[in-house]
Amino acid sequence: MPAAVKASENMSKHLTKAEREVREQAEAAVLPDRGRTAKLKKPAIVSSSKRANAYWNQILKQMEGLALLDDLDATVLAGYCSMLARRDQTTLLIGQLMDRLGVQGAVEDGTRRRRKDAALSDQEWEDSAKAAPVLTPDDLVEAAAKLDALTGKLQALERNILQYAEKLGLTPSGRVRLAQKRAQAAAEEPDGDLFGD
């Protein structure tokens, strides 16, 4: 497993003055720069989805003043926003499926009954049992299969969302990695006059 990335101020490695300056410049490029504004063009896939559009606007507002994205990143950011919208939709579907099949209500009613067993009269107990939907074993198997499929999709979406966020520099470690790459690129540029030519 790779070592955790550190900001230049937390590094214990001995860097030359030139290496440290390059590293600090690269880190400064991903930290707030109030003079630069990103002008990303919103792709149609985001504009057509109300939820993805809301995520797009929210992310750009939060990134105001950061020099992380340019016009080339608009498509990747659009994919990220679309995945966030699909995650919300999948979570909503899971809740609706549990409600429709009575699984969520049955679990909640059962926990309430256990806590209030002594307080319920016989008639109240029977009435609460009649109000709960009757699930056949086939219904439960079907509900479990659908819930497994949806939760599997949700987990895959969440993994992809984290990968996109990392690549876009929307996570702390993603921003530090971007700074490291910029510092390495700047350090690898030939100085031009190393041997006094």
Side-chain angles (χ1 to χ4, degrees):
M1 190 169 192
V5 186
K6 294 182 181 180
S8 61
E9 61 196 30
N10 296 331
M11 291 181 65
S12 57
K13 178 182 172 186
H14 299 288
L15 299 174
T16 65
K17 183 177 180 183
E19 288 174 330
R20 184 167 293 282
E21 286 175 1
V22 167
R23 177 69 185 261
E24 287 172 356
Q25 287 173 354
E27 287 179 5
V30 295
L31 295 175
D33 175 20
R34 299 298 174 200
R36 181 179 179 267
T37 57
K39 295 181 180 177
L40 298 173
K41 184 179 177 187
K42 190 183 302 184
I45 191 168
V46 173
S47 299
S48 64
S49 168
K50 183 179 178 181
R51 194 74 190 135
N53 190 40
Y55 277 118
W56 175 277
N57 293 333
Q58 176 187 2
I59 290 167
L60 287 185
K61 184 177 179 182
Q62 290 172 344
M63 291 181 63
E64 212 168 275
L66 293 178
L68 288 177
L69 304 177
D70 59 16
D71 292 334
L72 296 174
D73 298 319
T75 306
V76 177
L77 182 59
Y80 177 71
C81 292
S82 294
M83 280 190 284
L84 289 171
R86 276 186 272 151
R87 180 205 55 195
D88 291 349
Q89 185 179 21
T90 304
T91 304
L92 181 65
L93 286 173
I94 289 171
Q96 287 175 348
L97 176 64
M98 291 178 74
D99 286 342
R100 184 174 176 204
L101 294 173
V103 176
Q104 191 169 20
V107 172
E108 291 170 359
D109 289 345
T111 56
R112 275 190 236 125
R113 275 189 225 131
R114 267 187 256 125
R115 282 188 235 136
K116 297 182 180 180
D117 274 349
L120 290 177
S121 69
D122 290 337
Q123 186 60 40
E124 290 173 331
W125 178 260
E126 289 174 16
D127 291 343
S128 67
K130 289 177 187 174
V134 179
L135 297 175
T136 66
D138 289 340
D139 290 339
L140 288 174
V141 169
E142 179 185 350
K146 286 181 181 179
L147 287 172
D148 283 346
L150 283 173
T151 54
K153 286 181 182 182
L154 182 61
Q155 288 173 346
L157 272 171
E158 288 172 343
R159 278 192 300 274
N160 287 339
I161 286 169
L162 287 174
Q163 289 173 350
Y164 269 66
E166 183 77 20
K167 299 290 183 195
L168 286 167
L170 301 177
T171 63
S173 61
R175 287 188 295 276
V176 173
R177 280 196 185 94
L178 286 173
Q180 281 183 327
K181 286 181 182 179
R182 289 179 184 174
Q184 279 181 336
E188 290 173 1
E189 289 179 8
D191 289 341
D193 194 20
L194 290 176
F195 297 105
D197 293 335

